[in-house]
Each structure stands twice: as C-alpha cells, then as structure tokens.
C-alpha cells in the first residue's frame, strides 16, 4: 500500500507544508517530475522528517526520489534517508535537481516506525519529493529471482531492476566482515581514482551495520543468503557477479583490503587484452611453498593427488599450470566473468562435495577459481603491487605518505590483510571508516577528457591548422596556436564555465569546424536535457569528421541549424526557446556582434552567461561591441587578455557577460523590451 494510507505520526519541513497525495505543499501545486504529475507522492522541503506508524507486517519500503521540476537544474541537491525504528536502512546521496529519479528500496522487516528524512547543503528551492512511496508485506518484492552462485555457497537475490554500469567494482561482505567494508570503500573512493565506476556490495545475510555502510557510500546492495557454515567461503559469490550486475568490465575486491593507489590501470589493461581475459595477482605466500597448481593443491589447500581428476571428471592436464593466484583482487570483462561462472558450474556437484570435505580450510573456493583460470587459460598476471599480502610482505610508510614493500621498495596499490597477516600494520586501518561524509563516486565520468580524445584524433588527421577560428589560433586568423596541448586550458575554461555554471541548454552562433560545439556538448552531456544548438550557414566537412569521433552521449547533444546567425537567433526567439548560456562567435563585426547580443539577452535566462569570442581579432572590431555592451550597463570580464604572463591564445580573448544589467546605461533605453 502507499504510505500515505498509514498513520502520519509527525513531520517537520524546512519550508512550506508537508505535501501528501501528490501535493507540493505550497501554492496549490502538484508534484511534477520529468513532466509527469504524481498522485502518490510526498513533498518535504529539507531539512525534513516525516514519520509513519507501520501498522502491519511490512517487509519492504520502496519509492523513487527526485527534486521537483520547478527547481532550476542542478541548482541544489538533497540526501534522502530511510530509517526503520531509528536505524538507517536506505539512502540516496546527492540527488541533483533536474536528474532522472533514483530508485530507493529498504528492508523494514520487523520495524514499527518509518522515518523519511531529507537533508541538503543548499536550502534554496530544494523541493524534495518521494515518488510512489509504498510498503509491501512480501520480501519477494526485493528480488526478481534467486540463483545460487557457481559453487552453491550463496543464494543471490537478483534485483528487480537490473544494476547496469560500464565498470563495476564488486565486493562481498558477510556479518563477520562488516567492520572491514567501511574502510575498504573509503580507501577506494579516496585513492582508487575510479570515479566512473559503480561500487556494488554483495551482502551475505546483511545486518543493519552493513546497510548503513552501503547507504553511506551510495553503493547498491545485492542481497545474498549464505548456504555454507564457514563465512569466508562465501567469496565465491563474486565469481558469479555478472549474473546480478550488467557491466562491461568488473573489478572484484575483498573486503579486507585497503586501496592505497590508482586502480585505473587495471581497467586500461582490460581494454588492451583480448576478450575473456582475467587479470589476477600471484599469491606470493603460496608461491613460497608451491611451484604449480598441483603442488598448491596438496601443500596449501590440503588436497590429494587425485582431486583435480575428481573435480574435472577425469582430466588432470592443469596440474603443472604455473600460476597460482590470490582471488582478493581480480578483474575481467563480461565475457570472462560469464565463462568463469559457467566452467565452475560444470564442476558441480563434485566441487561442492570437495569443499565440504574440509570446510575448516576456508580458501578451497580459491583453488577452484585457480582451476577455472587454468582450464580456460585466461589468466594474465598483474604486478603484485595490486594485491600485496601483508602475510607475505612487510610494509612501511614512505616520506610522501605512500605505502611501500620493505623487500623491494615498490609502491603498493592494494594492501591485502588476508589470513594471518590481518593483524599486521593494524594502525593503517580505521583511517577511512571514521569519515562520516566521504566523497562518493557519481558515475558521470570525465566528459572533458572524452572530448580531448576525439579532438586529438581529429587534429592528427587535419593538423593544428584546423584549430584556426576555434578558441585557439593566431590573432590574424591564419593559423592554429596551441601552447599547452596536454590540457588545452582554453577549451577547458570554456567547458567548465558551462558545466560549473549549471548550464543545460546552450546556443552558439558560428559553428565553423565545430571544435567549440563539441567542447560545449561534452560539458552538458551528463545532463538529462543537455542540448547545444549551433547556427551557421556554412557546413564544413571537418566538423562532421570531428563530431563522428565523439562519444554518442556527446554527439547526440548537438543540434546543428544551417542558417545565418541573426536569422537563426531570431527564429529561436520567435519559437520561445530559452537557454542558460550563449556563445557568440560568427561574424567579427561590431554591429553584427551587437545585434547578436541583443537577441542573446532575450534567449538566455536572467543571470545566465553570454560568451563572445575574438574581441582582439586583428581583422575585426569585436572590441567596439564589447565596449558598447559595457556602456549599456552589463558587467564584462575579459579572459585570456592579461598584459602579463604567457599568451595561451595569442591574445584573441574571450568576453564573459552575466545576463543582468548591473549599472544604469543609456543604449538599452530604445529597445522594445526591458533589460534583464
């Protein structure tokens, strides 16, 4: 049932009134998100707390959370939290205005009270809404289906909405390991540099502490039920991670590790490897007592000479396989993960019987993982710094704060407190778990870097001369000019002006070869309604070549209109279009720029930004238009035109204008519209 039907035991909102049954709580307005009105919704402007009496045997609370459509996109954000009997059971952090609603689901089994809490760090207009909030009496609603992992150590509850990501960082935690997971995730987000990857927790019989940690880091939980007596052996669920998470690449990490270095090279290595490759680290502790898989079986895993033949149904051709790995860190693409899962399932029920013969040896699942790698011949070893075992190595802090192995001085990327090494270097633990508000990943990725990749490919084919008439170039318009090709800081300034100012729709006059268009499109590509409308009467073939190199999510944001700039801007105005920014870069004549500007101030929202390029172009007089704009009462800041320092753009410059009159001027008095 919808929770509006439950007894409301109390509420507190930061502005307006509580909104129930789709009411927004002020001005008789209705909750509307992405253009859809909701008849079942709770509107509670933060800081807010709405409490209900759970008068029934409910097991699940579920809803979507968002900011109402009347909030300017990305003006504010909110954290949504669900408490059952005072215990945090679900959370969505950093919900941005204008973003697609996010699912929120929480286990409320046995609870008597339900609290919906919303907090924000930017109070103004934070109209937070809970969409279709309901409680259910069946735990099956948490799960679209159930499947055992490939070794039948756990039962995986498949989420009703498939978890999808380009890159997934998966970990598994059981109740006895909950104290480790907070530190691991904190270190991952602090040091792993994998902001575009989604962290997913496979939680075995999750307790409230585990749910609170997952909520803290905004990590989806895949609930699992243990089918074995020895908790560490549930690690096998990660071998089947691809069944619950649909991703292109997977990085699987144990809970008892600390990430102390950059993990991006692992994903880059997967890109460079053939499909189905598994990236693994040799187990240096086992390597000290065994030279191949057969020796590891008898000397470490307490097996017998005939066990490999027993497990495989007769084959014993991998006994001399030379790589024995520790599965605390491994990575593969989707094809590789599914192949490992499929092969290990082929060993059932023999593998299950073999593990039960010696359940006290809690790493036998790891031997089976090794057996799969050997049979599939898919393992490629990483440098051991990606899985440095404290049981096998002594480590030390270097003067720069890094972690290094004392044996060879190598800088460690992943420190693994496995087995008997769990008590070593214990002073390093707890550093990250004590932080209550970590900077969590957002999954948007580095859209500027994606643009630069496309730009460099394009310049490689067309040469730097193709940058003429972009934000780069000489002031005579004869050549391209790039002083710092490592970051292209002028394009970076343009990109982050748009992104950092919260712009969603941008109009551009003067497409040219489409360099600035592509840069602007990348800046709004992570926004639901992002759009770059670019106007030019000419179509240069080079622009299509550049745009074809862009990621689809960037290219799809571009709408090219073939017409003269003034006509195009006028048409947009007549159509009632609105924008948050304009970039004027067509004809470099003062009168023409002034006419474009007069249209731009009507198209761009109040307080939006208008950018004018080439105020110092030697063959034009754009600077005269800039002075005219200043006399009209607008504030103008000229960028890239400093008399000192290094000239990064040959002094072509960029004028930044806030669409708001800040001083009384005379030139706008004759306009048929009031100044912004």
């Amino acid at each position: 049932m919808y929770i509006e039907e439950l007894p409301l035991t109390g509420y507190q909102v930061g502005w307006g009134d509580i909104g129930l049954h789709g009411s927004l709580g002020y001005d008789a307005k209705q909750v509307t998100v992405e253009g859809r009105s909701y008849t079942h919704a709770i509107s509670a402007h933060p800081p807010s707390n709405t409490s209900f009496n759970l008068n029934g045997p409910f097991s699940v609370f579920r809803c979507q959370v968002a900011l109402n459509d009347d909030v300017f996109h990305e003006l504010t954000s909110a954290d949504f939290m669900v408490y059952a009997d005072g215990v945090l059971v679900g959370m969505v952090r950093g919900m941005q205005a204008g973003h697609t609603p996010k699912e929120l689901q929480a286990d409320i089994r046995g609870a008597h009270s339900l609290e919906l809490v919303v907090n924000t760090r930017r109070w103004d207009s934070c109209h937070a809404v809970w969409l279709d909030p309901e409680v259910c009496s069946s735990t099956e609603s948490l799960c679209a289906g159930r499947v055992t992992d490939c070794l039948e150590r756990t039962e995986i509850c498949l989420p009703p909405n498939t978890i999808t990501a380009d890159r997934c960082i998966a970990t598994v935690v059981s109740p006895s390991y909950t104290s480790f997971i907070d530190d691991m995730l904190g270190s991952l987000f602090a040091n792993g540099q994998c902001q575009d990857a989604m962290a997913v927790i496979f939680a075995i019989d999750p307790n409230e502490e585990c749910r609170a940690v997952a909520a803290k880091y905004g990590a989806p939980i895949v609930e699992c039920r243990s089918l074995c007596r020895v908790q560490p052996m549930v690690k096998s669920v990660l071998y089947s991670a691809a069944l619950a998470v649909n991703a292109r690449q997977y990085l699987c990490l144990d809970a008892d590790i600390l990430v102390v270095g950059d993990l991006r090279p692992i994903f880059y290595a997967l890109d460079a490897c053939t499909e189905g490759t598994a990236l693994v680290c040799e187990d240096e502790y086992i390597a000290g007592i065994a030279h191949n898989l057969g020796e590891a079986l008898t000397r470490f895993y307490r097996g017998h000479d005939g066990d490999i033949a027993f497990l495989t149904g007769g084959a014993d051709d991998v006994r001399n396989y030379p790589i024995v790995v520790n599965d605390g860190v491994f990575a593969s693409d989707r094809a590789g993960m599914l192949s490992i899962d499929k092969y290990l399932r082929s060993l059932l029920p023999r593998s299950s019987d073999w593990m039960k013969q010696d359940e006290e040896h809690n790493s036998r699942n790891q031997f089976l993982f090794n057996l799969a790698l050997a049979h599939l011949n898919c393992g490629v070893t990483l440098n051991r710094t990606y899985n440095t075992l404290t049981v096998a190595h002594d480590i030390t802090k270097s003067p720069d704060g890094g972690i290094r192995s004392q044996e060879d001085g190598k800088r460690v990327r992943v420190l693994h407190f496995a087995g008997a090494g769990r008590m070593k270097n214990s002073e390093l633990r707890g550093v990250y778990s004590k932080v209550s508000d970590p900077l969590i990943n957002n999954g948007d990725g580095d859209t500027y870097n994606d643009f630069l990749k496309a730009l460099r490919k394009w310049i490689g084919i067309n040469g730097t001369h193709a940058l003429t008439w972009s934000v780069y170039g000489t002031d005579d318009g004869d050549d391209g000019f790039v002083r710092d090709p490592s970051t292209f800081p002028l394009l970076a300034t343009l990109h982050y002006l748009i992104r950092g100012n919260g712009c969603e729709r941008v109009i551009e006059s003067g497409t040219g070869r489409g360099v600035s268009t592509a840069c602007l499109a990348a800046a709004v590509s992570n926004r639901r309604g992002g759009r770059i409308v670019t106007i030019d009467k000419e179509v240069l073939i080079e622009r299509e070549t550049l745009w074809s190199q862009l990621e689809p999510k960037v290219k799809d944001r571009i709408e090219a209109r073939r017409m003269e700039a003034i006509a195009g801007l006028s048409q947009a105005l007549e159509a009632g279009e609105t924008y948050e920014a304009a970039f004027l870069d067509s004809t470099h004549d003062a009168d023409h720029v002034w006419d474009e500007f007069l249209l731009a101030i009507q198209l761009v929202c109040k307080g939006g930004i208008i950018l004018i390029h080439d105020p110092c172009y030697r063959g034009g007089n754009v600077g005269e238009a800039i002075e005219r704009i200043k006399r009209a009462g607008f504030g103008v800041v000229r960028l890239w035109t400093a008399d000192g320092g290094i000239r990064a753009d040959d002094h072509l410059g960029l004028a930044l204008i806030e669409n708001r009159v800040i001083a009384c001027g005379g030139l706008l008095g004759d306009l048929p519209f009031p100044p912004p």
Side-chain angles (χ1 to χ4, degrees):
M1 68 167 63
Y2 291 108
I3 64 169
E4 295 136 308
E5 301 173 42
L6 297 174
L8 179 64
T9 57
Y11 70 88
Q12 178 180 345
V13 295
W15 188 83
D17 199 357
I18 187 74
L20 301 174
H21 303 286
S23 168
L24 199 56
Y26 69 96
D27 294 344
K29 294 182 178 180
Q30 289 293 114
V31 170
T32 304
V33 177
E34 294 189 319
R36 173 189 167 189
S37 295
Y38 286 78
T39 56
H40 295 287
I42 297 174
S43 174
H45 192 297
S48 65
N49 185 317
T50 311
S51 303
F52 295 89
N53 181 16
L54 291 174
N55 187 23
F58 301 112
S59 301
V60 181
F61 168 79
R62 62 187 178 192
C63 70
Q64 290 185 314
V65 296
L67 279 298
N68 201 62
D69 276 354
D70 63 345
V71 184
F72 184 76
H73 288 189
E74 299 195 19
L75 171 68
T76 186
S77 65
D79 297 335
F80 293 77
M81 290 158 284
V82 180
Y83 289 85
D85 287 347
V87 177
L88 180 66
V89 292
M91 183 177 185
V92 169
R93 288 174 61 93
M95 184 68 221
Q96 293 277 345
H99 284 206
T100 299
K102 291 184 179 180
E103 297 282 343
L104 198 164
Q105 189 165 265
D107 187 344
I108 57 173
R109 283 174 285 188
H112 299 287
S113 66
L114 180 71
E115 294 176 80
L116 306 182
V117 177
V118 188
N119 289 328
T120 184
R121 296 170 183 82
R122 188 164 183 176
W123 183 88
D124 187 43
S125 300
C126 190
H127 304 308
V129 291
W130 306 76
L131 307 175
D132 291 329
E134 60 181 345
V135 288
C136 306
S137 59
S138 172
T139 57
E140 291 301 317
S141 62
L142 284 168
C143 184
R146 297 180 185 274
V147 63
T148 61
D149 69 49
C150 55
L151 297 183
E152 294 187 338
R153 312 308 286 168
T154 62
E155 182 180 64
I156 305 171
C157 181
L158 301 178
N161 299 313
T162 303
I163 299 173
T164 302
D166 181 55
R167 291 170 170 169
C168 168
I169 298 179
T171 188
V172 57
V173 60
S174 56
S176 60
Y177 277 69
T178 303
S179 59
F180 291 95
I181 196 71
D182 197 345
D183 230 22
M184 191 278 276
L185 290 174
S187 69
L188 170 66
F189 291 158
N191 304 317
Q193 304 299 313
C194 297
Q195 287 78 12
D196 60 343
M198 176 184 289
V200 178
I201 299 174
F202 286 78
I204 313 299
D205 306 322
N207 55 21
E208 300 308 329
E209 183 183 359
C210 174
R211 296 183 193 281
V213 171
K216 174 181 175 180
Y217 293 99
I221 282 183
V222 177
E223 294 203 15
C224 307
R225 182 169 65 91
S226 176
L227 301 177
C228 62
R229 184 172 60 86
V230 182
Q231 288 295 305
M233 294 181 72
V234 299
K235 284 171 53 176
S236 59
V237 71
L238 293 184
Y239 310 156
S240 300
L243 301 183
V245 181
N246 183 11
R248 182 175 64 91
Q249 296 177 332
Y250 301 81
L251 171 58
C252 298
L253 304 175
D254 273 5
D256 55 353
I257 69 170
L258 284 180
V259 177
V260 292
D262 190 346
L263 297 187
R264 289 175 296 179
I266 296 179
F267 289 117
Y268 300 155
L270 284 179
D271 286 331
C273 289
T274 57
E275 186 178 72
T277 297
L279 301 178
V280 292
C281 290
E282 287 191 87
D283 191 317
E284 293 194 283
Y285 177 76
I286 298 178
I289 57 177
H291 300 94
N292 54 47
L293 196 58
E295 290 184 3
L297 170 65
T298 56
R299 296 182 182 180
F300 180 76
Y301 295 105
R302 298 200 298 229
H304 304 285
D305 287 339
D307 282 353
I308 294 179
F310 165 74
L311 289 165
T312 60
D316 194 16
D317 55 347
V318 296
R319 169 177 294 276
N320 294 319
Y321 190 73
I323 302 174
V324 182
V325 309
N326 178 281
D327 64 355
V329 178
F330 69 92
S332 190
D333 57 18
R334 184 163 184 81
M337 294 292 289
L338 292 175
S339 294
I340 291 170
D341 175 86
K342 182 178 180 181
Y343 176 74
L344 290 174
R345 287 185 190 279
S346 74
L347 304 184
L348 293 170
R350 297 182 299 275
S351 58
S352 181
D353 294 338
W354 183 72
M355 285 188 290
K356 289 177 182 177
Q357 290 174 9
D358 191 354
E359 283 198 328
E360 296 304 320
H361 193 295
N362 56 28
S363 297
R364 278 197 161 191
N365 61 286
Q366 181 174 275
F367 175 80
L368 295 168
F369 178 73
N370 273 275
L371 190 60
L373 298 178
H375 175 82
L376 298 170
N377 195 28
C378 64
V380 172
T381 55
L382 295 165
N383 187 291
R384 68 168 176 80
T385 60
Y386 287 97
N387 191 3
T388 300
L389 303 175
T390 56
V391 69
H393 293 276
D394 291 325
I395 63 165
T396 184
K397 274 191 174 183
S398 54
D400 61 0
I403 305 298
R404 296 184 182 274
S405 168
Q406 285 186 343
E407 286 82 353
D408 54 19
K410 288 186 176 180
R411 187 157 188 158
V412 175
R413 308 255 185 153
V414 176
L415 191 60
H416 192 172
F417 296 85
R422 194 156 292 143
M423 300 307 297
K424 294 176 65 177
N425 303 107
S426 58
E427 72 279 1
L428 298 176
R429 306 200 64 86
V431 173
Y432 301 97
S433 59
K434 68 182 181 182
V435 177
S436 61
D437 55 345
L439 179 64
I440 61 177
N441 294 348
N442 57 29
D444 287 339
D446 187 349
T447 57
Y448 179 68
N449 188 56
D450 292 339
F451 158 68
L452 285 189
K453 289 178 183 178
L455 181 67
R456 288 193 176 100
K457 289 180 182 179
W458 181 75
I459 295 174
I461 297 171
N462 295 278
T464 57
H465 183 79
L467 290 172
T468 304
W469 303 113
S470 70
V471 297
Y472 281 95
T474 55
D475 64 3
D476 56 9
D478 286 342
D479 201 358
F481 178 79
V482 181
R483 186 178 295 277
D484 187 355
S486 60
T487 59
F488 287 83
L490 304 184
L491 287 168
T493 301
L494 182 63
H495 177 96
Y496 288 109
L497 274 173
I498 297 302
R499 187 167 182 174
N501 204 49
C503 301
E504 187 177 35
R505 290 178 55 85
V506 182
I507 191 165
E508 175 190 43
S509 65
T511 311
R513 295 185 175 92
V515 176
S516 58
T517 311
C519 180
L520 295 169
V524 302
S525 63
N526 63 334
R527 287 164 187 164
R528 184 189 50 185
R531 175 65 56 183
I532 302 299
V533 173
T534 183
I535 303 167
D536 202 316
K537 64 181 179 180
E538 302 292 338
V539 177
L540 302 181
I541 190 172
E542 294 98 331
R543 86 179 192 189
E544 300 302 327
T545 305
L546 172 60
W547 293 355
S548 69
Q549 300 283 350
L550 300 173
E551 295 284 340
K553 67 178 182 179
V554 176
K555 182 181 179 182
D556 292 346
R557 303 297 186 183
I558 299 173
E559 179 184 340
R561 298 178 183 175
R562 189 174 183 180
M563 59 184 68
E564 193 273 330
I566 296 294
L569 293 169
S570 298
Q571 184 183 87
L573 184 60
E574 291 170 4
E577 297 175 9
T578 58
Y579 299 87
E580 291 80 52
F583 183 58
L584 308 181
D585 190 21
S586 60
T587 303
H588 304 287
D589 171 76
D591 290 336
H592 192 277
V593 172
W594 172 253
D595 290 341
E596 285 190 28
F597 176 75
L598 295 182
L599 291 166
I601 62 176
Q602 299 174 79
L603 286 164
V604 174
C605 67
K606 185 176 182 179
I609 56 176
I610 299 171
L611 303 169
I612 300 177
H613 189 226
D614 296 342
C616 301
Y617 169 53
R618 192 188 306 173
N621 56 354
V622 178
E624 294 178 14
I626 301 298
E627 292 303 316
R628 192 174 182 184
I629 291 168
K630 290 169 65 176
R631 292 196 302 271
F634 290 86
V636 179
V637 176
R638 294 194 181 195
L639 305 178
W640 316 336
T641 57
D643 290 336
I646 296 173
R647 295 186 178 185
D649 77 327
D650 201 33
H651 260 206
L652 289 175
L654 183 72
L656 170 63
I657 303 157
E658 180 187 2
N659 192 25
R660 194 191 315 268
V661 172
I662 61 173
C664 181
L667 295 181
L668 288 181
D670 297 331
L671 289 178
F673 56 87

